[in-house]
Amino acid sequence: MITEIGWIVQVLTALCCTVYLLLVLHFSETSGDRSVLKTVIAYITVLFLPFFFGMVYRLNPAFYVCITPLVLFVLVISPVLLYKIVYGLTNTKGGKRFSRLHFVVPVLITVIWTVITTLSLPFDVRVDITRNFAQPAPGYGWQSAYFTSISLHFVVFGVIYLPLSFARLLTYHKAISREDHPDSRYRMRWMGAILTLSLLFTLSGGLVSF
């Protein structure tokens, strides 16, 4: 009961944040602000989805197996979206636009993972692995390990993109301090705190994976 109440509170919080950001997006005037807000809305949505996935994992393993490609994509795209938010907030006039190639790799990895797991593991075997909480299926050693590597993919992307986000934020701080920028006191410490929490969450996910 407590778990269900916690899940409902998290969902309502995410929905309230999304509605608020949609209102802010509606009244925003600059294209730069609108781009960042759209990314923030996408990121909040991505953060909300794992709670839904967790419920499905426990209540309907067969359906969870059907949506595992979506689970993988959501987990690997989240650090990319966070990096895009940092990139947009720290981008100055004349700066390079965020490359769309950052989104290509998560798509390719998801497609490759889906094809390999679908061809190498029968559906019922994948369901059994899910029901047994990621225990390897007899006779399917490496296939089981690859099928259950979703959390590992998330950790790898986090280890790559979170340092990139920290580096981008640090470069921005140095630039506005050196140029005596009017925003030099505004160092986005809140973003540094978010990145730190994200890093701790990623590392804790890595401990669970191994």
Side-chain angles (χ1 to χ4, degrees):
M1 183 66 178
I2 296 178
T3 302
E4 286 74 12
I5 293 175
W7 185 80
I8 292 174
V9 170
Q10 291 164 343
V11 170
L12 290 177
T13 302
L15 289 175
C16 290
C17 291
T18 302
V19 171
Y20 172 75
L21 289 172
L22 286 172
L23 291 173
V24 175
L25 177 64
H26 177 72
F27 292 104
S28 63
E29 298 179 355
T30 63
S31 59
D33 290 340
R34 293 180 65 86
S35 177
V36 172
L37 284 171
K38 288 178 181 178
T39 307
V40 172
I41 292 172
Y43 183 66
I44 290 178
T45 303
V46 162
L47 292 182
F48 154 73
L49 285 174
F51 297 112
F52 167 73
F53 297 151
M55 294 292 290
V56 175
Y57 183 88
R58 286 182 292 175
L59 299 177
N60 194 334
F63 182 62
Y64 178 83
V65 170
C66 295
I67 63 173
T68 45
L70 177 61
V71 176
L72 173 62
F73 180 74
V74 164
L75 289 178
V76 297
I77 202 67
S78 57
V80 181
L81 289 174
L82 184 57
Y83 177 58
K84 187 176 187 298
I85 293 171
V86 175
Y87 197 97
L89 290 174
T90 58
N91 201 19
T92 56
K93 289 184 178 181
K96 294 182 180 179
R97 297 184 62 181
F98 188 81
S99 175
R100 295 182 179 178
L101 292 177
H102 290 285
F103 297 108
V104 173
V105 176
V107 172
L108 288 177
I109 286 180
T110 302
V111 170
I112 293 171
W113 181 91
T114 303
V115 171
I116 292 177
T117 54
T118 301
L119 295 179
S120 64
L121 277 175
F123 180 79
D124 58 337
V125 175
R126 281 176 278 156
V127 173
D128 288 339
I129 293 173
T130 304
R131 283 202 181 104
N132 295 323
F133 301 100
Q135 291 297 318
Y140 296 94
W142 70 266
Q143 298 96 328
S144 299
Y146 189 62
F147 176 67
T148 57
S149 65
I150 292 179
S151 297
L152 180 60
H153 283 80
F154 166 69
V155 172
V156 170
F157 268 77
V159 168
I160 293 173
Y161 275 95
L162 287 174
L164 287 177
S165 300
F166 274 113
R168 177 81 183 182
L169 194 60
L170 181 61
T171 301
Y172 174 75
H173 288 168
K174 290 181 178 179
I176 61 176
S177 298
R178 184 171 57 251
E179 297 174 4
D180 195 23
H181 196 276
D183 293 334
S184 59
R185 293 184 180 181
Y186 178 61
R187 297 184 176 275
M188 291 199 297
R189 293 177 180 175
W190 59 272
M191 180 55 74
I194 291 176
L195 292 177
T196 301
L197 290 174
S198 298
L199 181 60
L200 292 175
F201 179 70
T202 301
L203 294 176
S204 64
L207 293 176
V208 173
S209 300
F210 296 105

